[in-house]
Amino acid sequence: MHATTPRRALAGLALALAAGAAPAADMPVQLPGARQFDMAAEGSGPRYRIFVSEPDAPAPAAGYPVLYVLDGNAAFPVAAFLARSVASRREVTGQAPLLVVGIGYPGDADFDVAARRRDYTVGVAEPGAAGREGGAERFLDFVERELKPRIAARHPVDTQRQALFGHSFGGLLVLHAAFTRPASFTTFVASSPSIWWNGRRVLDGLQQPPAAVPRLQLSVGALEDTPPPGRLSPERLALLAERSMVGEARALATRLQALPAWQGRFAFHEFDGENHGWVWLPALSRGLQFFLDQPAAPASGARQEDAS
C-alpha cells in the first residue's frame, strides 16, 4: 500500500505538469500598429469599416504621406505590411514613413461585391439599378468631406502627399477621381480598371484637361483577356470578350502618353504572367513606389501660379 502511493502521486504530478505545459488557447491574429473603426456616411448613408496603420516612427514636419486603399478588407493588410517595410528602411532609402487608410465594409468578406458595385461605378448601366450602382460621386464626397477630415483630426498628415489605390471596379473609381477631381489626391493608382463599364463613361472625364494634372499609374495583367482554356463556359468567355481589360488599358495609356499635360506624370505597366485576380498585388507594390517617388511640392506661390 505504502509502495504504490508514491507512484500514484508521481503519475498525478506528471499529468498536472503535462496539462500545464499545454499550449495556450489560440488567439486572433493582430496586425501590428493597426486599428479599425466603423462610420456611416452622413444622411443615414452606407456604413464603412475604416482601417488605419500608423507607422512606429515620428511624423515628418509636413506630416505623414497617406495612402488610401479601396477594398480595404482585402488590400489593407498588404498595404500596411508594405508601409511597415518602408518605415523600417527609411534610414537607407530616405523615404518618409506613411500612413495607410483602408476603406472597407463591415463583415468578414474580403470583397463586398454589392457594396463595391454601388460605390465604385460611374453612372447607372442597367435600367432600374439606381441605388445599386452608379454611386461614385456620393462615395467620393464621403471620402473628401467626411473621412479625410476625421483622419486628419487623429493623425498628422501631409495634405500635399495623398494617394488613392483601387483595383477592378476600384480602379475604375480611381480613374474617375483622377479625371474629375484631380486635386483630391496627388497620386492615383488604378489597377486593372473596368474601363468598359457603362459604355466607357469614365473616359468622358478626359474631355477637359485639368488645370493641375495629378500623377497617375495605370496597370493591367497581361493575361487578363486570355483565361486558361477549357475552364470557363462559352457564356462566360463571351462576357469577358465584351469586357476587355488589356486592350482598354493599352488604349487609354496611348491616349494619355500623347497628351502634353500628362508628360512626366503618367506611368503604365503591363505585368507579364498576371491575371485579373492576382495582378493587384504587384500593382499595389509598384504604385506605392510611384507614390513615394513623388517630387517634393513646390512653394505655395509657384503652385498657385501653375494652377492659374
Side-chain angles (χ1 to χ4, degrees), residues 149-169:
R150 185 160 180 176
I151 296 299
R154 293 184 172 200
H155 308 274
V157 302
D158 184 351
T159 59
Q160 297 302 312
R161 298 190 71 189
Q162 299 194 80
L164 179 65
F165 168 84
H167 173 69
S168 196
F169 273 164

Side-chain angles (χ1 to χ4, degrees), residues 226-290:
T226 54
R231 297 187 184 180
L232 300 179
S233 67
E235 293 77 14
R236 182 63 178 172
L237 289 173
L239 182 63
L240 291 177
E242 297 174 358
R243 300 177 174 181
S244 171
M245 303 298 294
V246 180
E248 295 286 1
R250 288 175 180 169
L252 177 57
T254 299
R255 183 174 176 180
L256 291 176
Q257 289 163 347
L259 295 176
W262 289 90
Q263 298 302 308
R265 296 179 175 272
F266 173 70
F268 175 62
H269 302 290
E270 184 173 323
F271 293 106
D272 290 338
E274 298 291 351
N275 60 31
H276 190 72
W278 294 96
V279 72
W280 69 270
L281 295 165
L284 175 58
S285 176
R286 190 69 66 86
L288 179 58
Q289 186 65 49
F290 181 71

Side-chain angles (χ1 to χ4, degrees), residues 14 49 53 63 173 193 223 262:
R49 179 154 295 166
S53 175
L173 182 84
L223 301 182
W262 289 90

Side-chain angles (χ1 to χ4, degrees), residues 158-238:
D158 184 351
T159 59
Q160 297 302 312
R161 298 190 71 189
Q162 299 194 80
L164 179 65
F165 168 84
H167 173 69
S168 196
F169 273 164
L172 173 70
L173 182 84
V174 169
L175 286 184
H176 177 65
F179 297 156
T180 63
R181 303 186 185 205
S184 58
F185 295 89
T186 53
T187 300
F188 295 85
V189 182
S191 169
S192 302
S194 302
I195 299 172
W196 52 266
W197 171 264
N198 199 11
R200 303 180 183 86
R201 181 169 172 178
V202 67
L203 300 181
D204 292 348
L206 272 177
Q207 301 303 320
Q208 296 294 330
V213 179
R215 302 176 79 243
L216 169 63
Q217 175 183 293
L218 170 65
S219 62
V220 70
L223 301 182
E224 294 195 49
D225 289 347
T226 54
R231 297 187 184 180
L232 300 179
S233 67
E235 293 77 14
R236 182 63 178 172
L237 289 173

Side-chain angles (χ1 to χ4, degrees), residues 93-107:
T93 64
Q95 294 172 332
L98 72 152
L99 189 77
V100 177
V101 179
I103 310 173
Y105 301 96

